[in-house]
């Protein structure tokens, strides 16, 4: 199984592809899209949409997994993250790729064994699980790989098709 993980955001959107085969996980690629604050929202969303389309065309993942939005004190940030998630969902759906969404605490629990782990812990565990030489950078890419790992390791009954 090959999973494209996404850590959604409009200013910074992380991605990572994990391939699971015979119980072993390996990272295929990871990175992020970054758009300047002055860039109009529509252009930012197009960057994410086309980036996801290109990754799907190049790597043909079996699924796309996203981190659900964390609604904190700033509703404006939650709204923009939701827009980024929408761009990812439409890109995946238009390519016929199933989508799943996971709460941040669920991802951290799957990766670190603790649902309130900090970003550094997540990065170190992603490095260890995938046998990487370095912690993926930036943390948006590490978070995206963590979401992909969470989906690849999730029991089939817990996977949510989008």
């Amino acid at each position: 199984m090959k999973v494209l993980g996404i850590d959604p955001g409009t200013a910074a959107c992380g991605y990572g592809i994990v391939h699971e085969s015979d119980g072993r996980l390996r990272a295929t690629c990871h990175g992020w899209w970054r758009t300047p604050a002055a860039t109009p929202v529509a252009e930012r969303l197009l960057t994410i949409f086309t980036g996801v389309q290109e990754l799907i065309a190049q790597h043909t993942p079996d699924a796309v997994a996203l981190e659900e939005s964390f609604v904190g004190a700033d509703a404006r940030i939650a709204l923009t993250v939701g827009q980024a998630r929408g761009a990812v969902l439409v890109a995946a759906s238009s390519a016929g790729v199933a989508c799943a969404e996971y709460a941040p605490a669920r991802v951290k629990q799957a990766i670190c064994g603790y649902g309130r782990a900090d970003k550094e812990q997540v990065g170190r565990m992603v490095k260890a699980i995938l046998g990487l030489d370095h912690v993926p950078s930036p943390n948006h890419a590490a978070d995206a790989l963590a979401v992909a790992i969470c989906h690849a390791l999730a029991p089939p009954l817990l996977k949510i098709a989008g």
Side-chain angles (χ1 to χ4, degrees):
M1 169 185 281
K2 199 182 301 181
V3 181
L4 168 57
I6 301 287
D7 178 33
T10 52
C13 183
Y15 65 85
I17 297 179
V18 169
H19 185 238
E20 184 275 326
S21 179
D22 297 323
R24 298 186 56 107
L25 293 169
R26 67 177 173 84
T28 302
C29 71
H30 63 275
W32 65 319
W33 300 290
R34 184 171 186 210
T35 55
T39 304
V41 174
E43 288 180 34
R44 290 173 148 193
L45 296 174
L46 182 60
T47 297
I48 295 165
F49 178 82
T50 56
V52 170
Q53 281 187 320
E54 289 168 3
L55 286 171
I56 289 172
Q58 183 178 3
H59 297 281
T60 60
D62 300 299
V64 173
L66 301 101
E67 192 168 81
E68 291 177 349
S69 297
F70 171 75
V71 181
D74 193 340
R76 187 176 57 94
I77 291 173
L79 177 63
T80 60
V81 170
Q83 291 172 327
R85 287 177 58 247
V88 172
L89 291 169
V90 171
S93 180
S94 67
V97 180
C99 295
E101 298 180 63
Y102 296 92
R106 169 70 180 96
V107 174
K108 292 174 182 180
Q109 178 71 37
I111 302 303
C112 300
Y114 177 57
R116 300 187 83 181
D118 62 30
K119 289 199 175 289
E120 290 75 28
Q121 288 174 295
V122 172
R124 285 192 308 269
M125 287 304 297
V126 165
K127 175 185 177 270
I129 291 167
L130 296 174
L132 302 173
D133 293 332
H134 304 289
V135 172
S137 179
N139 61 14
H140 302 290
D143 290 348
L145 286 167
V147 175
I149 293 166
C150 178
H151 185 78
L153 298 177
L157 294 176
L158 294 180
K159 293 179 183 173
I160 304 166

